[in-house]
């Protein structure tokens, strides 16, 4: 049966959808993690901490859906990418999942007992469950830019030759700290939208300002390391964008500085890094002017720009190999079949509007600032 969309177009659509899911995760669960990372430092009393927790208390569970759907999309649309990354980065994934498990437990158990030590323990659990994923996600992106230490044999079986500690290098730590600062800025901006005016927001704006400045510096440093370092990959042979998925049929070489090639071919792509810098600057302006709209709009734009910069710089690569460039996985050589991508696109077209509508409805119904006064009258609050 002739499908209405060709293989090349479907691959591009799913590459774009993957980017949308990752950005959706950063924009929604990202401010949850930012608020969690800020919690011990912006709120000193039990009432202050409960107020901060309840700025995300109504929506954090729904926000985590973006992470689950993103993983499912990789599994369904890019099965080889899923197999190599989730098996090769197993310990890092275990670390992230452990932290993500700790976070909901901390939400649920924190106010079950009145003792200060009990509540403080779970408050730090929220911090760990927020800070660790933010750091490791950034480190993971840094490793993807550098290339993962895996190879494929003639039967397309993957062999990972790295270690957990090997994931942490100067460049990947810059990426990890950029991820943390980006999400802390986003979390501080969310507190300016949902938090009660007072000393907590004053502290949040101070830390958010520092995080915004750190984002600008780290994004620039990371960009310089990409431009002048020894990372980058380039396809050297002919590319069959509609061919059968087989990474070993693609000629690839390691080429320092090659991550900048796309900006020469498609000058419009420079919009992404500009948005990353400009968004952080607008977020900082919002912090200084105490404007919730500017702060949250700027931090959101910065996250979109930073994540898009990585995706556009690497296109068409998804997961390059640092030890055998020939094994690198790209948009064209690692996707599911033509029919699978088309059927899944229909499913997305049918159900995604419902998800977006429900999410928007939940935010509308549960809108409003969290306050310390409500803690005494609303039994549903954390």
């Amino acid at each position: 049966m002739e499908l209405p969309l060709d293989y090349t177009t479907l691959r591009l659509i799913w590459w774009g959808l993957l980017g949308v899911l990752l950005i959706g995760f950063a924009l929604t669960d990202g401010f949850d993690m930012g608020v969690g990372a800020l919690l011990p430092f912006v709120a000193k009393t039990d009432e202050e901490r409960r107020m901060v927790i309840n700025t995300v208390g109504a929506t954090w569970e729904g926000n985590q859906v973006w992470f689950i759907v993103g993983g499912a999309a990789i599994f369904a649309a890019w099965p080889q990418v899923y197999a190599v990354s989730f098996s090769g980065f197993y310990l890092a994934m275990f670390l992230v999942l452990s932290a993500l498990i700790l976070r909901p437990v901390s939400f649920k158990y924190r106010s079950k007992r009145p003792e200060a030590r009990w509540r403080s323990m779970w408050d730090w659990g929220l911090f760990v469950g927020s800070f660790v994923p933010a750091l490791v996600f950034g480190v993971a992106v840094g490793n993807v830019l550098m290339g993962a230490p895996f190879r494929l044999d003639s039967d397309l079986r993957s062999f990972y030759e790295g270690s957990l500690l090997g994931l942490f290098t100067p460049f990947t730590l810059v990426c990890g700290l950029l991820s943390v600062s980006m999400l802390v800025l986003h979390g501080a901006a969310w507190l300016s939208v949902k938090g009660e005016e007072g000393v907590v927001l004053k502290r949040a704006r101070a830390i958010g300002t520092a995080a915004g400045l750190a984002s600008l510096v780290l994004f620039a440093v990371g960009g310089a390391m990409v431009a002048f370092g020894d990372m980058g990959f380039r396809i050297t042979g002919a590319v069959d964008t509609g061919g059968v998925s087989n990474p070993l049929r693609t000629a690839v070489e390691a080429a320092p500085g090659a991550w900048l090639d796309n900006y020469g071919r498609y000058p419009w792509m420079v919009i992404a890094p500009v948005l990353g810098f400009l968004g952080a600057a607008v977020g900082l302006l919002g912090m200084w002017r105490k404007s919730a709209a500017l702060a949250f709009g700027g931090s959101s734009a910065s996250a979109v720009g930073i994540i898009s910069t990585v995706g556009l710089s690497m296109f068409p690569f998804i997961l390059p190999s640092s030890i055998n460039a020939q094994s690198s996985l790209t948009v064209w050589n690692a996707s599911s079949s033509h029919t699978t991508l088309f059927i899944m696109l229909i499913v997305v077209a049918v159900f995604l509007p419902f998800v977006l509508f429900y999410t928007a409805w939940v935010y509308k119904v549960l809108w409003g600032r969290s306050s310390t006064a409500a803690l005494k009258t609303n039994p549903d609050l954390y």
Side-chain angles (χ1 to χ4, degrees):
M1 182 182 70
E2 187 72 22
L3 297 177
L5 291 173
D6 61 72
Y7 205 3
T8 298
T9 301
L10 281 169
R11 283 168 161 165
L12 281 173
I13 289 173
W14 274 99
W15 174 77
L17 283 174
L18 180 59
V20 169
L21 291 172
L22 293 176
I23 289 171
F25 172 63
L27 293 183
T28 55
D29 207 35
F31 64 68
D32 293 340
M33 288 189 282
V35 169
L38 284 166
L39 178 64
F41 309 105
V42 299
K44 303 302 181 181
T45 68
D46 184 64
E47 279 193 345
E48 289 176 352
R49 292 189 175 184
R50 287 186 66 196
M51 186 273 290
V52 169
I53 290 170
N54 281 286
T55 62
V56 297
T59 54
W60 70 267
E61 289 175 289
N63 292 341
Q64 289 198 142
V65 170
W66 289 94
F67 176 65
I68 298 168
V69 173
I74 295 173
F75 173 76
W78 316 99
Q80 267 186 315
V81 175
Y82 182 93
V84 172
S85 59
F86 278 65
S87 60
F89 298 145
Y90 180 81
L91 291 176
M93 293 289 184
F94 183 80
L95 183 63
V96 168
L97 290 175
S98 297
L100 290 177
I101 290 170
L102 178 62
R103 189 165 59 140
V105 173
S106 299
F107 270 115
K108 299 299 184 182
Y109 280 21
R110 192 244 178 224
S111 295
K112 295 297 184 183
R113 294 172 59 179
E115 292 87 351
R117 180 177 294 181
W118 171 268
R119 295 190 171 190
S120 178
M121 176 181 69
W122 293 115
D123 289 339
W124 283 103
L126 279 171
F127 169 79
V128 172
S130 302
F131 177 84
V132 170
L135 178 68
V136 175
F137 286 143
V139 168
V141 170
N143 276 277
V144 170
L145 284 165
M146 293 182 67
F150 75 94
R151 59 182 176 82
L152 302 175
D153 68 8
S154 58
D155 295 320
L156 298 183
R157 293 176 299 182
S158 65
F159 297 86
Y160 184 80
E161 299 182 8
S163 63
L164 177 62
L165 292 179
L167 298 176
F168 296 89
T169 67
F171 174 71
T172 62
L173 285 173
V174 167
C175 293
L177 292 174
L178 172 59
S179 175
V180 170
S181 61
M182 177 184 79
L183 296 184
V184 167
L185 171 63
H186 200 40
W190 180 251
L191 284 178
S192 71
V193 172
K194 290 281 287 182
E196 181 181 51
E197 280 291 347
V199 66
V200 172
L201 281 197
K202 183 178 179 181
R203 297 180 191 128
R205 288 182 179 122
I207 298 175
T209 298
L213 292 171
S215 293
L216 289 170
V217 172
L218 291 168
F219 193 32
V221 170
M225 294 175 80
V226 168
F228 303 109
D230 59 353
M231 68 192 80
F233 294 83
R234 182 180 292 130
I235 296 176
T236 57
V239 178
D240 183 4
T241 61
V244 175
S245 291
N246 185 344
L248 299 182
R249 297 174 59 185
T250 306
V252 178
E253 67 175 6
W259 290 147
L260 300 184
D261 289 356
N262 281 344
Y263 297 100
R265 297 191 194 98
Y266 315 104
W268 61 266
M269 287 186 177
V270 76
I271 294 171
V274 169
L275 187 62
F277 285 113
L278 186 61
V282 172
L284 281 172
L285 180 63
M287 293 291 170
W288 293 333
R289 296 185 60 178
K290 299 181 180 180
S291 169
L294 278 178
F296 192 71
S299 67
S300 299
S302 181
V304 172
I306 291 170
I307 295 170
S308 298
T309 297
V310 176
L312 293 174
S313 298
M314 291 184 60
F315 182 82
F317 289 92
I318 300 178
L319 186 63
S321 170
S322 60
I323 60 175
N324 180 12
Q326 191 74 20
S327 298
S328 297
L329 307 179
T330 73
V331 171
W332 315 125
N333 68 22
S335 73
S336 293
S337 69
H338 190 179
T339 303
T340 300
L341 293 181
F342 180 72
I343 292 173
M344 289 194 307
L345 185 61
I346 294 174
V347 173
V348 170
V350 171
F351 289 103
L352 186 59
F354 288 100
V355 174
L356 294 175
F357 174 79
Y358 173 75
T359 301
W361 178 78
V362 167
Y363 275 89
K364 181 178 184 298
V365 170
L366 300 175
W367 197 248
R369 289 184 178 270
S370 175
S371 67
T372 53
L375 300 175
K376 300 179 177 67
T377 58
N378 190 342
D380 297 322
L381 296 180
Y382 286 105

